[in-house]
Amino acid sequence: RPSSPSQFLAVASLISADLVSLDVLWSYLEPGDAALQSSYADLTAKYEDEISKISKIDLSAGSNVVRERDTFMHALQAFNQARHQKIMLVAALISVNCWSLAQKTLCHLQTLCKPCLNDCIRTALCDLLKWLIEPVLQPSRKASSPQNLGLESTFTCIRRFTLGLREGTAADGGGAREGSLYPTTDFDLLFPQIRQVLEHLEYFLHTDLHLLMSLWKVLLVYMRQRDKSAPGDAKLDDALVPVVYRHLLPAVSLVPHNPQLSDMVWQVMSQLSVFQRFLIYSCWETTYDNFLVKIAYERTKVAAKQILKRVVANAERRDLMAHQSNFHFCKLCHSNPIPAIEVMLRDVEIGFNVNMIPPYVECTNRCSEMTADVMGYMLARNCARPASSTRSFLSQEDATPSGWLVNLGEFVGRFFKKHPQTDLVGLLTIVTKRVNSELDSAPGVSKNEYKGESLIRVVLENLIEFMGGFQTVSHMNEEQLHCLAGGPRLRGESISIAGKKDDASRKDRAKIALLTALVDLKLVPILWYSLSQQRHHFLSEEFSEAHGGSGGLKLLGLLFDGNHECFLKLTEFLAQACAREKYSQLMPPFQEMFTMFEPALAFLAIRHGLMPYGRLPVGAQAAVAAAPQSAAPASVVPQGEAAAAPKSAGDAPSAEPAAPAAPVVELGELQRVVRLYLPTSFEAGGLSMQFYTTFWRLSLQDIFMPTEGYEKTIAQIATNLKLVEVQKKNMERDRDHTQSREYKALKKEVSRLQELHSKLKEEQLVQRLNHQNVLNRLAQEKDNWFLKPNPNATHAFVQEMLCPRVLTSYSDALFCCKFVRLLIQLKTPGFQLLDFYNSWTIMLTQCIRCCSQREAQIFGVFLREMMSYVLHLRRDEKVYNEEMKDNPAFHRNYYDASVAVQIDWAQFGDIKKGHSKWEGRIYRILRQGLDSEDWMEKRNMMLLLSQSFEAFPVVEKYARATLHSVEGLKDKEEMSDIKTLAASLAVKLKVRKEHWVDRQPAPDHARHADDAAGHSRGSGRSKNALSSGTHSVKSDAPKADGNSSSNAPKDRERDRASGAPVE
């Protein structure tokens, strides 16, 4: 019986030469099959016991515990070092390259145990793989030493693989004997042989790190060669994918933390597409139930928990574990990123402390590119999980997004901002597909319970907020609202909070990464369409019927506002991140946009892609206005083709410089589409199409210059810069100041502030130039807006232009206010201020009781700005007379400019009477909401008042009655949030008492307050926007006349003709 390895090699050589029968010899070798099976069963039992002990905390102490924990390792070492005759013979058969017989014996042993756990068989298989792949790696190996050692140098003395080759043939792909393997540089022949060996070696090649690195190098060489022959084919053959996730990656999991190996793995994985990488990661995750890999999985989880327990914000340097937690965590992720990241994401979703999300993201600061990519996969996987009873997207208690979803969204945004190089394709694809998941529910599934899976848009919003730098705040003060008229830097600085500021280069990298992912995947039109479909679904009768019960209105408000905010963030981010030309290429055709959205949102989406109004050619607007409607193209002209549209051959030459074709075609196509959605009587009523398109294409930045905001921000930055420079000079007195972290941080802060200061000044100059260009053009075109001054034109202006836009966003609400003031400032012919206020206080107040919480706050801002101008006019008669002088906006009636008549001007007393009447109209609608039984109506009315209390109500009888109603809610309301809001609002209203106007004599105060409080008290029922699309509002016309609000224009004409006071 042979006992030494050389004797087994001799016997194996005889067997390969058919001089000895393997079947006869095998029966004489020890141990028997039963003994092998029993030994392996004992090993697996100890393995299961070891797995159960890893996650347990044993409070007992003593040497017995240590001995019990080492039991499995002793058993594994015993099996590894066993030198049984059968095992030695199999290793010898492999060593002489008698692969057919070696494979036969290995298959037999696999029915009894895992033969690759034995060192003899495992090293023989590893050496065979080295021999097979050596020719592939030889050309790329650098001469690191004079001997130029290769893989064969590790086994030359103990292996005889060339015995399997025919005599006289080379060892680099020549002929091999039947049943033997041979090395080759042909990958089509090499990979099948590698797979055969790995089927028996499994993933236990972790003990030979040299081989493991070499196998990854072989894959890298293969990928690079294929990329040269077929560029752009970033895909691994289906036959090789199992090799990666069944053998190579589990082997990586068993290797102690090795950054070099992690980098090599990423060099291969980065060559693949994101979908194939994520497929491999998902299969890798399933291998963690395998033998030994399960131990690595559990130990990594335990270690990750211990590290994350020590993670804190601003850790002290003396606490080495907490201060260097990022190094420890990323060290774990080199070999086993999936279990470590899983522990982190579980803590994030639990949300035990939302303030720990930023420190957790900082903990990934040192992670490798491979770990960051696996994190992207884990985040996409969590976003793809369906809703369940334990993991709902919508909190049924308060109809808000679940806490885990909010936390996950914030973590996603912060992580990808920290690691902008990480691929976003997988995550964005999952989010985009799930946005409309509620609309595609399977037939037969009950729709009475809204699952809220479309709320996954929270992830997209956080990506835009953190990566795109598009910060938002829920409540903005007046100064921040006015800064919305500035550029991106002013808007960002106005709402930024004190603390660590990111450098501009990192912010730009993150913004470009997000924009590139959205553009390359062509997700912008898809997201716009998905959000529009959601919007229509929320307002449909089907949704109303399914969710029209208790809490349905609150749910509708949440979903509608969330959908709208997501649309605004996406559109504003695209407008800031890309140039106009690129943005216009992202837009669908005009008609498609107006089909998806109502005009206000459609214009918001296309506005940035249009030619800037201040830079339009002089002849563009006139050319479009003069062209007949039939001249517009019958089909939709895409933006990219419009720029290249040639002129017709019959165009006559002109002495004046011709306007470029692109702006004319663009405006003509826009007006053609707009006419499809406007009433046919719009232009006949007195307004021009030029005025309509001018109103919608302008933005707040065009018509208002926040000079005060720029000056204040620039001054604040200059002050901060001086303070930082003083601190820096104080630190320079220290001898070792150049090595101080604080000193380096101050130097970076000085550079950041200096750059911001200069960039903000440049932005101010650009904004001022654009603003001046817009004003100049408006002054040239104002005479063509109100073609037929009459009440119908004012009515159309409010109904078709102001009303649809005012509730779109805070910027649009301010735009409407500033645009009205601009009409007055430009002395626009045909615009009549008194009739305009009469119209909007009648029509816009109809929307107050059927708006969402966001719209109520926006309307409050609009109301404050509009009424503050009236307060400005009525504060001083001298100021009013100066503003009224030669301004047609203050005409008391409408006049035709072509007819010479005596003009009747609105007097100072008319403004005061009109102000009181307008406040009365608004108050009556407001009182109905305050007296309503519906929670949302009462809350919306108080949200509106919290924004407008400085300018409305200020007429004493309406202000006192409003205060009385709010105090009643404070004392009698059962809902805690309503009581708190009412108490806060009551304080604000009381503070403004000294600013009330139209005060009555003291004895009559109580009587007038009671009379005002008695108006419209009868209608206190709740209005449910889910069950009705229209809302009837009590007429505010004088009861003595018996006229309805629909006859308001005729009434106003009659009053002006008779000299009656303006209403």
Side-chain angles (χ1 to χ4, degrees), residues 675-820:
R675 284 189 173 93
L676 300 176
Y677 300 92
L678 276 177
T680 55
S681 60
F682 177 79
E683 293 179 90
L687 293 181
S688 65
M689 182 58 64
Q690 180 184 357
F691 180 52
Y692 183 85
T693 54
T694 299
F695 174 84
W696 283 108
R697 68 178 301 147
L698 289 174
S699 64
L700 180 61
Q701 291 81 7
D702 293 325
I703 65 172
F704 179 66
M705 179 63 190
T707 304
E708 183 179 353
Y710 273 109
E711 292 177 351
K712 185 175 181 180
T713 305
I714 291 174
Q716 183 63 43
I717 293 174
T719 302
N720 294 341
L721 182 59
K722 291 180 181 179
L723 293 176
V724 174
E725 287 180 342
V726 169
Q727 295 178 12
K728 179 170 168 286
K729 288 181 180 179
N730 292 336
M731 294 189 69
E732 288 176 352
R733 299 174 183 173
D734 189 1
R735 178 180 301 176
D736 299 328
H737 68 275
T738 56
Q739 305 298 325
S740 172
R741 294 180 61 186
E742 291 77 7
Y743 181 78
K744 294 179 180 178
L746 286 177
K747 288 182 64 178
K748 289 183 179 180
E749 183 65 10
V750 168
S751 301
R752 188 191 71 84
L753 290 174
Q754 289 175 343
E755 181 182 8
L756 180 60
H757 189 269
S758 61
K759 294 291 185 182
L760 204 58
K761 283 189 173 181
E762 293 177 7
E763 184 180 89
Q764 183 182 16
L765 293 176
V766 173
Q767 291 292 112
R768 182 181 291 115
L769 177 62
N770 175 69
H771 176 61
Q772 190 59 46
N773 290 339
V774 170
L775 291 184
N776 293 339
R777 180 161 295 280
L778 290 175
Q780 296 175 12
E781 299 176 351
K782 63 180 182 179
D783 295 336
N784 301 323
W785 293 346
F786 288 83
L787 301 179
K788 300 177 182 178
N790 60 76
N792 292 332
T794 303
H795 183 275
F797 172 52
V798 175
Q799 184 177 18
E800 302 296 339
M801 299 165 65
L802 203 69
C803 188
R805 185 168 184 175
V806 70
L807 298 181
T808 303
S809 66
Y810 287 105
S811 296
D812 287 290
L814 289 175
F815 171 84
C816 293
C817 301
K818 301 300 180 182
F819 188 80
V820 171

Side-chain angles (χ1 to χ4, degrees), residues 378-416:
M378 298 288 285
L379 293 173
R381 185 201 64 176
N382 284 14
C383 291
R385 286 178 177 173
S388 62
S389 57
T390 58
R391 192 175 186 269
S392 61
F393 286 74
L394 183 69
S395 175
Q396 299 295 334
E397 298 177 356
D398 52 2
T400 57
S402 296
W404 73 265
L405 179 59
V406 176
N407 295 340
L408 179 64
E410 182 180 350
F411 182 86
V412 168
R414 291 184 180 275
F415 175 81
F416 281 99

Side-chain angles (χ1 to χ4, degrees), residues 56 88 116 356 405 457 508 576 594 601 618 829 831 1000:
K56 292 181 180 179
M88 296 290 287
C116 53
M356 289 303 297
L405 179 59
R457 57 173 170 72
D508 291 340
Q576 291 182 14
F594 279 83
L601 298 189
V618 176
F831 178 73
Q1000 302 296 327

Side-chain angles (χ1 to χ4, degrees), residues 562-602:
N563 173 279
H564 191 82
E565 289 174 2
C566 184
F567 170 80
L568 292 178
K569 288 181 179 180
L570 175 63
T571 305
E572 291 294 331
F573 164 71
L574 294 172
Q576 291 182 14
C578 57
R580 184 188 66 83
E581 292 77 10
K582 188 172 184 178
Y583 187 92
S584 63
Q585 296 174 1
L586 299 177
M587 292 191 316
F590 290 150
Q591 189 160 349
E592 185 176 336
M593 289 299 296
F594 279 83
T595 302
M596 288 192 295
F597 297 104
E598 51 266 36
L601 298 189

